[in-house]
Amino acid sequence: MKKLYKPIGLVAIMLFSFYYTEKIASIMQNKSPIMQSINEVEESYVVNATNASVDSNYIVPGIMGRMVNKTKSYVNMKAFGIFNEYYLIFDDVKPDISLEDNKDKVIKEGNKSKKAVTLLLEDGNETIKKYLKDNKIKANLLILESTYENGSFFEQINNDKEKYKNVESLLNKNNQNKNICYIKEIAKEYCIKEQKYLVEETFSLGGNNIVEAKAKIDSGAIILIKKNANLEHLKLLIKEINFKGLSIIPLSELISEK
C-alpha cells in the first residue's frame, strides 16, 4: 500500500505545481502594463449581437456580436513588448436567437443592417449571365447537374430535384457547397433533414414587372431573376439598387450572421 501512496503523492504535487504556476502566470499577466491597457479599451470594442427575428415559419438572420479575447491579444502584443490596438484579437459572440438554431425556418430576406441585396438567377438566360459576369456583379445561380461548372463566376445552388445527390457530390468535391436550399424546387422536409439553410425569394423580376420590382427593392432582399427576364429591365433594377446605396453580394454572405 505504501508503494501506491508514493506515485499518487507525486502526481498530486505535479498537479498542484501546474495549478500554482498557471495562477502565478495569470496574476503576472494581469499586472502587466499591456494587459492593463487592454482592460482599459476592452469595452469600447464590444459589439452586441443582434438576435434573429422569427415570425411563424420565417426567419431574418441575426448578426454576430464581438468581444476582445484578452488572453490572445496579450500574447500577440507581448511578442512586440508594447500595447497596440492594431494587434487586438476578437471573438464572435453568437446571438441568443440564431439562425443556426432555427434551420427549420425559411429565410425570405437577409438582415437589413448589411445594406445589401442578392440576385438569384434561374439558369437559362445566357445574355443576363454574360452581362453580370462582364460587369463583375456577383450573383447566385440555380443549377442542375448538367449546368454545374467547376470554378464558376457565380455562387451555385443545387436546384436539381432529380439528381440532387449528384450535384451535392460535385459541390462538396470542389468546396463550393454553401448548403442553401431553394425550397420552391427542392422539398422543404428533405432540406431540413439535410440541415440546409431554407431560402425563397423576396420578390422576382421577369416578364414586364419592372415597375413593381423596383418599388420592392430594400436592404436584405433576395431577388429572383427569372430566365425570361429582360436584360434592360435588369439594368434598371441594378441602377435602382445602386441609387438606394445597396451592395449586391452572394446569398451566402447575405444570410450569414457574421
Side-chain angles (χ1 to χ4, degrees):
M1 185 64 73
K2 288 182 179 180
K3 291 181 179 180
L4 182 62
Y5 287 149
K6 190 172 181 179
I8 291 175
L10 288 172
V11 170
I13 290 170
M14 287 176 64
L15 290 174
F16 177 76
S17 176
F18 288 140
Y19 171 78
Y20 183 75
T21 302
E22 186 178 334
K23 200 73 175 174
I24 292 296
S26 178
I27 292 171
M28 295 301 292
Q29 177 179 300
N30 288 327
K31 287 185 176 181
S32 162
I34 292 176
M35 181 56 81
Q36 289 175 4
S37 295
I38 291 172
N39 287 335
E40 288 174 7
V41 303
E42 176 189 6
E43 283 299 317
S44 65
Y45 282 96
V46 170
V47 177
N48 294 323
T50 302
N51 283 334
S53 174
V54 180
D55 180 13
S56 185
N57 293 321
Y58 290 92
I59 185 168
V60 176
I63 299 290
M64 290 275 191
R66 183 184 72 174
M67 64 182 295
V68 176
N69 186 314
K70 295 198 291 185
T71 299
K72 287 184 178 179
S73 296
Y74 171 78
V75 171
N76 203 26
M77 293 179 201
K78 188 180 177 184
F80 299 96
I82 190 170
F83 171 78
N84 188 328
E85 294 183 42
Y86 179 79
Y87 295 107
L88 286 170
I89 294 176
F90 302 95
D91 288 335
D92 289 330
V93 179
K94 182 182 173 185
D96 293 331
I97 304 173
S98 172
L99 171 63
E100 297 304 316
D101 302 321
N102 292 276
K103 285 189 175 180
D104 60 331
K105 307 296 183 185
V106 180
I107 306 165
K108 200 169 183 176
E109 60 179 322
N111 197 293
K112 292 186 184 300
S113 68
K114 293 203 170 184
K115 302 294 182 185
V117 301
T118 280
L119 303 181
L120 181 61
L121 312 181
E122 285 185 350
D123 205 0
N125 191 322
E126 296 302 317
T127 302
I128 282 178
K129 285 170 62 178
K130 184 178 186 305
Y131 174 80
L132 294 173
K133 189 174 180 179
D134 288 348
N135 288 276
K136 296 181 172 55
I137 299 171
K138 288 290 185 180
N140 288 74
L141 188 62
L142 296 167
I143 61 164
L144 305 175
E145 182 183 34
S146 59
T147 58
Y148 167 79
E149 292 181 7
N150 187 20
S152 173
F153 171 79
F154 301 101
E155 186 173 87
Q156 299 177 104
I157 296 177
N158 188 352
N159 200 43
D160 196 329
K161 59 185 176 183
E162 301 297 330
K163 298 181 179 179
Y164 188 85
K165 290 187 177 179
N166 291 358
V167 178
E168 284 293 281
S169 296
L170 288 169
L171 292 170
N172 289 334
K173 180 181 177 182
N174 295 293
N175 297 314
Q176 296 172 325
N177 197 342
K178 302 301 180 179
N179 292 309
I180 296 172
C181 257
Y182 178 60
I183 60 170
K184 292 292 182 71
E185 289 293 334
I186 311 300
K188 179 180 176 181
E189 294 74 19
Y190 181 79
C191 295
I192 291 173
K193 180 183 174 184
E194 295 296 309
Q195 284 289 291
K196 302 291 185 180
Y197 299 107
L198 314 179
V199 166
E200 63 181 52
E201 73 273 14
T202 312
F203 66 90
S204 63
L205 174 70
N208 294 308
N209 72 332
I210 180 60
V211 175
E212 179 186 352
K214 282 176 62 179
K216 291 181 178 179
I217 295 171
D218 194 11
S219 182
I222 299 169
I223 308 168
L224 179 68
I225 310 299
K226 294 187 174 182
K227 58 186 170 185
N228 68 343
N230 181 285
L231 177 59
E232 294 308 313
H233 289 174
L234 176 64
K235 289 179 181 179
L236 289 173
L237 190 79
I238 292 173
K239 186 177 180 180
E240 185 70 12
I241 290 169
N242 293 332
F243 176 76
K244 290 187 175 181
L246 304 174
S247 301
I248 300 173
I249 61 177
L251 184 53
S252 62
E253 292 182 24
L254 187 74
I255 68 173
S256 171
E257 292 188 318
K258 290 189 176 181

